[in-house]
Amino acid sequence: LREPGLNLRVVQLFRDPRAVHNSRLKARQALLRESIQVLRSRHRAESRGPSRQQQQLLMPPGLLGGGRAPQPQHRAEFFLGGALEVICQAWLRDLLLARRAPAWLSHRYTQLRYEDLVREPRAQLRRLLRFAGLPVPPALESFVHNMTRGAAYSSDRPFLISARDAREAIHAWRERLSRQQVRQVEAACGEAMSLLSY
């Protein structure tokens, strides 16, 4: 970012952690390896293991009795929940860094909430392209609008890119996550959620 020969700009995309957890649960098998890698990165970074409280935050109910390993049917949710906690901790570090950023960083870094992009795709696209110093082609505005206003809500195949009604996707977690899952995500990600106004 400090290299004068580069005009590097960073756009950091955030999404409501409850919606992230819902999506990750939906694609649990596809994300299992990635979740384990995320957890390993935390353990390498820490000189000691996570505290008992950290271990409890996003585990499914019944996994903590006697220090037993998660049952096979809960293993994916165990790893996904732990990975989300690591992701939220990284978000918090990024958000705090951006708040106290020197001028050389603040002019090269911006944040975007997925929910804002979905609600106002054209306005957010224009904001991002202005930030990057790029023109706003009308065809790109139409593309972004069409991709977020499709007829379907979702797909059973994770990572399928298609036009869908993304406005419904931003609230899907309300119908799919249990109250306990919501409370666990909010406990693990509360500080980052507060800074992002979720």
Side-chain angles (χ1 to χ4, degrees):
L1 284 167
R2 291 188 222 197
E3 173 60 47
L6 297 176
N7 185 16
L8 181 65
R9 305 292 171 124
V10 176
V11 176
Q12 188 167 9
L13 178 66
F14 293 97
R15 188 175 182 198
D16 186 322
R18 295 163 295 199
V20 171
H21 193 56
N22 180 54
S23 292
R24 290 176 64 82
L25 286 173
K26 190 174 177 184
R28 71 183 68 191
Q29 292 307 321
L31 292 173
L32 187 56
R33 281 188 178 184
E34 180 267 349
S35 296
I36 292 169
Q37 286 299 109
V38 169
L39 287 170
R40 284 182 180 156
S41 72
R42 173 175 68 179
H43 291 298
R44 278 188 297 245
E46 294 177 346
S47 58
R48 57 178 175 74
S51 69
R52 181 86 169 149
Q53 179 186 10
Q54 287 173 320
Q55 291 174 345
Q56 293 178 16
L57 284 177
L58 290 173
M59 290 183 189
L63 293 186
L64 299 173
R68 290 173 291 173
Q71 298 298 315
Q73 68 268 26
H74 294 298
R75 192 168 305 225
E77 189 171 339
F78 172 81
F79 289 122
L80 289 173
L84 180 64
E85 183 182 344
V86 174
I87 291 167
C88 284
Q89 291 169 356
W91 285 2
L92 181 60
R93 285 191 303 272
D94 293 344
L95 290 163
L96 293 174
L97 174 65
R99 279 197 160 188
R100 60 178 187 271
W104 61 265
L105 175 61
S106 61
H107 297 300
R108 293 176 179 242
Y109 170 87
T110 193
Q111 300 164 353
L112 174 63
R113 294 184 338 155
Y114 172 79
E115 294 78 8
D116 297 333
L117 178 62
V118 166
R119 288 185 186 110
E120 302 176 304
R122 288 183 172 128
Q124 292 299 324
L125 176 66
R126 285 192 296 270
R127 180 179 76 84
L128 291 176
L129 292 177
R130 260 194 321 273
F131 168 74
L134 299 171
V136 184
L140 186 56
E141 278 191 347
S142 295
F143 174 78
V144 168
H145 180 79
N146 292 338
M147 288 299 286
T148 58
R149 298 299 187 269
Y153 156 63
S154 186
S155 169
D156 291 332
R157 292 175 32 205
F159 313 116
L160 176 68
I161 301 192
S162 62
R164 64 182 184 153
D165 190 348
R167 293 168 298 180
E168 287 186 34
I170 62 176
H171 298 295
W173 64 267
R174 295 174 188 268
E175 298 171 8
R176 296 201 172 119
L177 294 182
S178 69
R179 286 184 181 183
Q180 181 174 2
Q181 287 172 316
V182 170
R183 282 194 300 270
Q184 289 173 331
V185 171
E186 290 172 349
C189 302
E191 289 181 82
M193 290 174 71
S194 178
L195 290 174
L196 290 164
S197 300
Y198 285 120

